Amino acid sequence: CTLDSEVALRVGGDFFFDPQPGDSPVNLVLIAGGVGINPLFSILLHIADLHGYQEGKGNGHKLGTVKLYYSAKNTSELLFKVN
């Protein structure tokens, strides 16, 4: 984001990311803490799948950028760790 960018925030509840072919691309910033990573990791995997289909078949999906920020209070709360 840059100064004066418009952003939308969603905390908790049911949410999903399901872009349709022909939709305008959107940029996503996914922010998760602890076990809150589960639904966001699924969204990230879905986007990776769409990207793979786009590269291989030109399926009409236009994808923006995606950034995932993941943290926790301490390392024991991290579900996914990079060694």
Side-chain angles (χ1 to χ4, degrees):
C1 296
T2 60
L3 185 61
D4 295 326
S5 291
E6 184 176 318
V7 298
L9 298 176
R10 177 109 191 227
V11 178
D14 296 329
F15 59 97
F16 57 91
F17 181 69
D18 188 24
Q20 300 302 306
D23 286 353
S24 296
V26 295
N27 298 322
L28 295 178
V29 178
L30 306 171
I31 303 170
V35 296
I37 188 67
N38 285 326
L40 299 185
F41 191 67
S42 294
I43 289 172
L44 188 64
L45 292 176
H46 178 60
I47 293 166
D49 285 343
L50 289 176
H51 181 72
Y53 290 136
Q54 179 186 28
E55 297 248 323
K57 300 177 185 169
N59 66 354
H61 284 93
K62 298 177 188 132
L63 303 173
T65 61
V66 179
K67 300 208 184 262
L68 171 65
Y69 296 96
Y70 174 50
S71 185
K73 189 185 302 184
N74 55 54
T75 56
S76 66
E77 293 182 0
L78 293 172
L79 294 182
F80 302 100
K81 301 175 189 174
V82 177
N83 292 330

